[in-house]
Amino acid sequence: MKQIKNIYAILIIIFISYSCSDNFLEPAPIGTPNGETFYSNDDELELGVINMYDGIQGINSTSSNDNHGIQVEFYVTEMRSDNTQTKSSEGEAAQFENYTIEANNGIVADYYRSFYNVIFRANIVLENLNNATAVNRSRFEGEAKFVRAYAYFNLVRLFGDIPLIDRVIAPADKEIQFTRKSKDEVYTLIESDLNRAIETLTNGSKNRASRAAAQTLLAKVYMTTENKRYLEAQQLCESVMSSGFSLETNFKDIFFNEGNNEVIFSIGYLGDDAQNSQNFSAEWLNAVGRTSGVNYVTPDAKDALDNFGGDRTQFSYRVDQAQPTRFQVVKYIPDGDATLGIDPTSSNPTQAGNDWIVLRYADVLLLHVEAIMGTSNETSVPAALASFQAIRDRAGLPTTVTNITKDDLLLERRVELAFENHRLFDLLRFNKAQETLATFSTNIGASFSATDLLLPIPQREVNLGGGILEQNPGY
Amino acid sequence: MKKINKFTFQKKYLTKILVFIGILIFASCDFEFELPEEGSVEDLTPPSAAFEFNQSAENFKLYNFANLSTSATNFSWNFGDGNTSTDKDGVNEYPGEGSYTVTLTVSDALGVESTISKTIEVIEPEEPDVPDPVLVNADFTKLPKSSGSDCTCSAWINKDLGDQGESSSGNGGSDNVLKFDNNEPDHIYQEFEVTPNADYTIEVVASFKDLTGGSFPSMLEVRALAGSGYVSGYTPMYFTETTAFPQENWGYTSISQVEDVANNLLAETITNPSDDSYITYTYTFNSGANNSVALFIRGIGGPATGGGGGDFGYNSGDEEIRVDSITIRAINL
C-alpha cells in the first residue's frame, strides 16, 4: 500500500513538471505589442526607425523630466559660444553664458539622457535587423547607424570621453553604461557607422538619413578628430556637391520654405500638433515660452552680422519690439514677422512647426573650403574660392575673393550659420575656442576657463555610476 | 604558609607594578595632537595637475594653455622662458623658436601641491613647396620589364587599356623613344603621387610623321586621370624599378573609366602639326581632391575597330607618332 502511494506521488510530480514549458507566460499576449516580440517584420522595424527621429525631435513640453532632444541643443551649444545669451540672465539657463555650469544643471542632463535615449532607439533597430527582409535591411541599418553616429558625434564633442554603448543593454550592464571610453574609440564607432550609412543609403529624404547627410557628417568628423583627414573630407564634400543640392536664392527661404533644395538633413516638426511640434522657437521670443527669453543675440554676434552678414543680417536677427535694446533670432520665428514677410508656422507659437535644420548645402560648401585649406592658414586654390564665392554671392557680397584665410572662413561660417548651433563646434574645430571665448568672456564679465569647453557629466549619472563614472575637470 | 606569604607579597607588588605601567602607557600618549578635531576628515581629493596646450595659427610663438587640473584652487605657471602666471589658464608668447619646459604647479586650500611639466617645441610652421612628381622611365629608355623583352615602354604598360607602345629611335638617339604605331591601339599609362589641390605642368615631347593624306589622321590624346577614379579598393603603389611595374590590373581597368569626364583632370588632343620634328607640348592641370594621378596617353584618329592590335574600341590613325620624354613639374608660386 505504501509503495502504491509512493508511485502516485512520483506520477503527480512527473505530471506537474511536464506541464511546465520553457516560457512562463504562454501563450504570449497578442492584444498588445511588447518589447520582446515587437520589431519582428519590416513594418514594425520601420516604426523603430521613425522612433529614432522622434527621439531627436524630443517632447514638446515644459516638464524638466521629459527628454526634449534637439529642442534644448541651443542651450548647450550656441549659448556657450559668443553668439547668444539669455535675455534676463536668470536661472540655470544663464549658467551657459556665464560659464558657471553646475554638474547638476538640468538642461545638460536633459540633453545627455535625450541623446543616449536616441542611441538606445538606434541600437534596438540594429539588434532586430535580422527580422527585416533583404530589400529593407540595409536601409534600416544605414539609417540606424547614421542616427547613432550623429548622436555620438554631438555627445563626444560636448562631453569628451563618454560611455560607448553599441548594443541594447540591460540595467545590470553597469560597466558599459558608466565607463568612459576615449574619444578615439568613440570616433572609431562614428566613422564605421557613417561609412556603413554611406554604403547603404540613397539621397532623396530630408527629414530622414540620406547618403549626402552621412557624407557631410563624416567630412566634419574627419576634420574634427585629432588626426585630420582633409583629403577624404574634401572628396566627401565634392561627392555631396555633385548630388543635386543647391543654394536657395533667397536666404530667408532656407528657413521658411521647408524641404527646399538647400536642406540636406533636418528634424521635422508640425505646427499645432502636440506630439510633433517644438517649443524652442517660442523660447527665443520675449516671454512667449516658459522662459522670459533665451538664445538672444549677443552684441558681439550682432556686430559680426552688421559688418559681414550682407543680405543675411535681416533674416538672422531683429530688434525685440518689446525691449528695443535686445535682439532676437529671426531664423525659426514661430509666429511670423510681417515686416520681413515671414508667415507663422502655427497658431500657437509654443507648438511651432519650424523644422530644425541640422545640415544644409551652405555648410558643405564652407566645409569644402576648410578641407582644401587643410593645415595651411590660407588658400587661393580655385576650387576653394569657387565654393566660398558662391556663399558670398548669395549673401549679396559679390566682390571677387582671391584669397581666404582661416579667420575669413571662421567668420563666414559664423554669419552664414549663425544661431544654427554650429558656432561652438566651429571654434573647437578651428582650434580657436579657448582664445576666442576667453576674450569674449572677459569683455562681458563672465568667468570662462578652458575646462568650460566640455560640459559636466550630469551629476545624476555620476551618482548612478557609483564611483565608476568620473567627472570632467573643473566641475 | 610560606607559600601564602609569597603570594601576598607578589600581589602587593603586582598592583603597584600594574599601576606604574599604566601611568607609563598613559604618559606616552600625546592626546593633545592626536585626537581628531571634531568634524575633520581626511583629504580624499588631493589636487592633480594637468594641462594641454595649442599653438596659435596666426602667430606661431603664441601658445594657449588649458588648465585641466582637478581639486586645485591655486595655480602657478612657469612657461620656461622666464614668464610666469598665476591665472587658471595660461597664455604665453615665446621669444622665438626653441624648446621650452612648461611647469604647472597647483595646490588646494590645504596646501597640498601637485606639479606637471611638459616640453614644447616652438617651431615656425613652414609651407613646404609642392614636390615634383616622380615618373619612372620618363625619357623612354629601353629597359627590362616584369615580363617580356626589354622595351622603351617599360613602366608604361596597362594591358587593360590598350597595346603597349613600341621601342623606337629618334631625336638623335637610338632605342630612346616610344612609338605609337599607326592603326593600332598603342598607349602609355603610369600612376604618380601628387599633393592635393596643387597645380602641375606636363610637357610632352612628341613627333608626328607627315600626314599621308588618308582619311584617318593620327592624333595624340593626353589625359591626367584622377586617383579618385581608380577601381574600387585599389591603392596605388609607386615603384622605382621598371621590372617591378605591373602590366595590367592597375588603378584604371577600362576605357570607359578613362573616358568618364568626372575622372579627367586634363584631357587634350594634339593634332598633327605637319612638322615631323620633336615639338614640346605643355599643359597644366590641378590635382584636385586626389593624392594620386594616372597619366594616360594614346594614339587616336583611326577607326574604332579593325586595327592592327587588340580590340579596345580605338586605334591610332594613318601616321606613326613618337614621344621622346614626359616631364611633370609642380608649380610653386
Side-chain angles (χ1 to χ4, degrees):
Chain A
M1 189 63 194
K2 202 182 177 187
Q3 269 186 340
I4 291 171
K5 254 188 187 170
N6 279 345
I7 287 166
Y8 277 131
I10 287 164
L11 277 177
I12 287 167
I13 288 166
I14 289 170
F15 183 72
I16 290 170
S17 64
Y18 267 89
S19 75
C20 299
S21 71
D22 290 352
N23 288 322
F24 187 66
L25 280 179
E26 199 164 328
I30 50 169
T32 50
N34 72 76
E36 289 284 310
T37 57
F38 203 68
Y39 309 114
S40 62
N41 58 44
D42 282 5
D43 287 345
E44 290 173 358
L45 274 160
E46 188 81 45
L47 290 176
V49 168
I50 290 166
N51 188 43
M52 306 185 304
Y53 301 109
D54 185 62
I56 303 173
Q57 189 185 60
I59 295 168
N60 180 357
S61 78
T62 51
S63 162
S64 44
N65 291 325
D66 285 338
N67 291 352
H68 297 101
I70 206 164
Q71 295 183 49
V72 293
E73 190 177 80
F74 69 92
Y75 285 106
V76 293
T77 55
E78 209 68 1
M79 294 223 318
R80 286 167 66 216
S81 79
D82 47 5
N83 270 359
T84 63
Q85 58 193 173
T86 59
K87 182 169 69 80
S88 338
S89 207
E90 287 168 1
E92 68 179 0
Q95 291 176 7
F96 299 106
E97 74 209 51
N98 292 327
Y99 303 103
T100 54
I101 304 166
E102 302 284 339
N104 60 9
N105 184 297
I107 297 164
V108 174
D110 188 346
Y111 193 82
Y112 186 92
R113 67 169 188 261
S114 288
F115 276 82
Y116 270 107
N117 185 259
V118 168
I119 289 163
F120 165 65
R121 294 178 191 213
N123 281 335
I124 284 181
V125 173
L126 294 171
E127 198 101 327
N128 290 287
L129 275 184
N130 287 337
N131 299 333
T133 59
V135 187
N136 289 315
R137 190 179 303 141
S138 64
R139 179 172 62 84
F140 291 151
E141 183 188 357
E143 285 197 69
K145 289 194 164 166
F146 170 82
V147 167
R148 186 167 72 176
Y150 165 69
Y152 270 124
F153 189 36
N154 286 337
L155 290 170
V156 75
R157 287 183 293 175
L158 291 170
F159 295 94
D161 298 351
I162 42 172
L164 187 61
I165 293 120
D166 60 356
R167 59 182 170 88
V168 176
I169 57 169
D173 293 326
K174 277 217 153 193
E175 186 81 19
I176 180 170
Q177 199 180 349
F178 295 111
T179 306
R180 299 181 70 171
K181 295 288 174 145
S182 73
K183 284 180 281 195
D184 283 355
E185 283 176 83
V186 179
Y187 276 116
T188 303
L189 181 72
I190 291 172
E191 285 170 21
S192 85
D193 276 359
L194 287 175
N195 275 313
R196 185 66 187 141
I198 291 168
E199 280 166 31
T200 52
L201 295 176
T202 55
N203 287 328
S205 182
K206 293 189 187 296
N207 286 154
R208 294 174 63 164
S210 65
R211 185 162 189 260
Q215 288 171 319
T216 307
L217 208 57
L218 186 57
K220 219 176 265 197
V221 167
Y222 281 156
M223 294 196 281
T224 302
T225 49
E226 203 120 317
N227 172 28
K228 315 262 190 242
R229 292 156 73 175
Y230 290 113
L231 176 60
E232 279 128 308
Q234 184 185 352
Q235 288 167 341
L236 287 164
C237 290
E238 289 180 5
S239 178
V240 176
M241 287 160 67
S242 60
S243 298
F245 296 96
S246 61
L247 294 178
E248 279 293 287
T249 314
N250 187 340
F251 192 71
K252 182 181 74 176
D253 292 341
I254 304 165
F255 307 96
F256 296 99
N257 172 23
E258 293 190 344
N260 63 75
N261 204 32
E262 181 160 344
V263 174
I264 295 172
F265 179 54
S266 64
I267 303 303
Y269 291 101
L270 298 172
D272 296 315
D273 176 333
Q275 303 299 315
N276 294 296
S277 58
Q278 48 90 349
N279 63 20
F280 64 82
S281 284
E283 299 299 330
W284 300 3
L285 299 175
N286 193 330
V288 173
R290 189 178 72 145
T291 64
S292 66
V294 289
N295 215 33
Y296 265 54
V297 178
T298 62
D300 200 77
K302 178 183 174 294
D303 272 359
L305 281 159
D306 287 346
N307 293 319
F308 305 101
D311 292 348
R312 293 168 290 201
T313 309
Q314 57 178 320
F315 300 114
S316 296
Y317 82 85
R318 66 174 182 184
V319 173
D320 176 1
Q321 293 303 326
Q323 215 165 319
T325 55
R326 307 304 302 273
F327 306 94
Q328 296 170 327
V329 173
V330 170
K331 299 172 176 178
Y332 305 106
I333 283 178
D335 53 354
D337 184 316
T339 327
L340 295 171
I342 295 169
D343 294 329
T345 66
S346 62
S347 58
N348 174 1
T350 64
Q351 290 189 359
N354 312 56
D355 288 359
W356 177 259
I357 299 172
V358 177
L359 299 168
R360 62 181 172 99
Y361 190 54
D363 188 9
V364 176
L365 289 178
L366 293 173
L367 289 173
H368 183 233
V369 178
E370 191 177 328
I372 294 174
M373 196 179 288
T375 53
S376 307
N377 202 29
E378 57 187 334
T379 182
S380 51
V381 169
L385 295 177
S387 291
F388 197 76
Q389 191 74 54
I391 299 292
R392 304 271 300 171
D393 286 351
R394 195 262 300 271
L397 302 165
T399 316
T400 305
V401 177
T402 54
N403 186 54
I404 310 160
T405 66
K406 212 155 223 178
D407 279 350
D408 293 340
L409 180 58
L410 186 60
L411 177 61
E412 198 61 38
R413 285 189 66 88
R414 185 181 193 188
V415 293
E416 173 68 32
L417 302 165
F419 323 126
E420 296 176 50
N421 300 354
H422 289 279
R423 177 66 175 165
L424 180 75
F425 294 142
D426 288 351
L427 287 169
L428 288 167
R429 203 172 60 248
F430 278 68
N431 219 351
K432 284 276 189 174
Q434 189 182 339
E435 204 176 314
T436 308
L437 296 181
T439 310
F440 171 71
S441 166
T442 307
N443 292 343
I444 64 165
S447 57
F448 172 84
S449 67
T451 49
D452 292 314
L453 294 177
L454 288 182
L455 288 170
I457 300 287
Q459 190 58 44
R460 204 180 104 110
E461 294 293 318
V462 174
N463 295 349
L464 287 171
I468 309 176
L469 189 59
E470 281 172 29
Q471 187 54 277
N472 279 327
Y475 294 101
Chain B
M1 191 61 203
K2 202 182 175 188
K3 257 189 177 172
I4 290 168
N5 274 346
K6 196 177 178 186
F7 178 70
T8 320
F9 166 83
Q10 282 180 336
K11 196 180 169 189
K12 194 172 140 194
Y13 282 96
L14 193 68
T15 317
K16 281 184 180 167
I17 288 164
L18 281 175
V19 168
F20 180 73
I21 290 171
I23 287 167
L24 212 72
I25 290 170
F26 233 66
S28 73
C29 299
D30 207 346
F31 295 113
E32 199 184 344
F33 296 102
E34 292 220 343
L35 265 181
E37 285 172 58
E38 196 180 353
S40 86
V41 290
E42 193 189 342
D43 186 357
L44 290 172
T45 54
S48 170
F51 71 89
E52 283 174 8
F53 55 86
N54 71 66
Q55 189 179 27
S56 158
E58 293 84 33
N59 178 358
F60 76 95
K61 293 181 234 173
L62 188 67
Y63 277 72
N64 276 285
F65 297 88
N67 190 334
L68 305 177
S69 306
T70 50
S71 293
T73 51
N74 298 305
F75 311 99
S76 167
W77 292 92
N78 182 336
F79 296 115
D81 62 345
N83 292 339
T84 59
S85 165
T86 53
D87 290 342
K88 188 179 176 198
D89 295 320
V91 183
N92 192 44
E93 184 168 356
Y94 286 94
E97 290 194 346
S99 177
Y100 301 91
T101 301
V102 181
T103 304
L104 171 64
T105 304
V106 303
S107 62
D108 63 8
L110 296 173
V112 183
E113 281 194 354
S114 171
T115 297
I116 185 170
S117 292
K118 289 185 181 183
T119 303
I120 58 173
E121 306 288 341
V122 180
I123 296 168
E124 182 166 12
E126 281 181 34
E127 286 275 337
D129 275 357
V130 177
D132 291 334
V134 177
L135 291 179
V136 175
N137 197 17
D139 57 355
F140 304 104
T141 306
K142 194 168 182 177
L143 290 169
K145 299 187 294 201
S146 50
S147 69
S149 52
D150 292 5
C151 181
T152 61
C153 62
S154 285
W156 288 102
I157 303 167
N158 185 336
K159 288 178 177 169
D160 297 321
L161 304 179
D163 288 347
Q164 66 183 53
E166 296 165 21
S167 299
S168 186
S169 304
N171 210 14
S174 64
D175 280 338
N176 64 326
V177 301
L178 180 136
K179 182 176 73 176
F180 298 83
D181 217 346
N182 57 318
N183 200 27
E184 283 186 14
D186 289 351
H187 82 288
I188 56 172
Y189 175 93
Q190 193 176 124
E191 295 163 5
F192 53 94
E193 192 170 13
V194 294
T195 301
N197 304 303
D199 288 328
Y200 293 90
T201 60
I202 169 165
E203 286 176 9
V204 180
V205 180
S207 150
F208 286 68
K209 284 286 178 212
D210 286 337
L211 284 163
T212 59
S215 47
F216 294 105
S218 288
M219 291 174 280
L220 196 63
E221 185 192 75
V222 181
R223 293 178 187 263
L225 301 170
S228 58
Y230 289 153
V231 68
S232 174
Y234 175 75
T235 308
M237 304 241 292
Y238 303 108
F239 306 99
T240 50
E241 299 298 323
T242 56
T243 49
F245 278 76
Q247 298 185 23
E248 55 201 337
N249 283 324
W250 287 58
Y252 277 80
T253 55
S254 73
I255 286 295
S256 59
Q257 260 175 287
V258 167
E259 291 178 349
D260 182 344
V261 176
N263 289 336
N264 281 262
L265 303 170
L266 173 78
E268 295 282 347
T269 303
I270 308 171
T271 53
N272 195 318
S274 300
D275 171 357
D276 70 352
S277 63
Y278 281 83
I279 296 173
T280 303
Y281 301 90
T282 306
Y283 306 101
T284 64
F285 68 92
N286 185 286
S287 52
N290 297 287
N291 54 11
S292 183
V293 168
L295 181 67
F296 177 69
I297 300 180
R298 61 176 170 171
I300 57 169
T305 54
D311 187 7
F312 294 92
Y314 72 91
N315 283 290
S316 182
D318 298 328
E319 299 85 16
E320 295 175 359
I321 306 168
R322 285 174 173 74
V323 174
D324 188 24
S325 68
I326 290 169
T327 312
I328 302 180
R329 286 196 193 89
I331 302 174
N332 286 295
L333 298 176

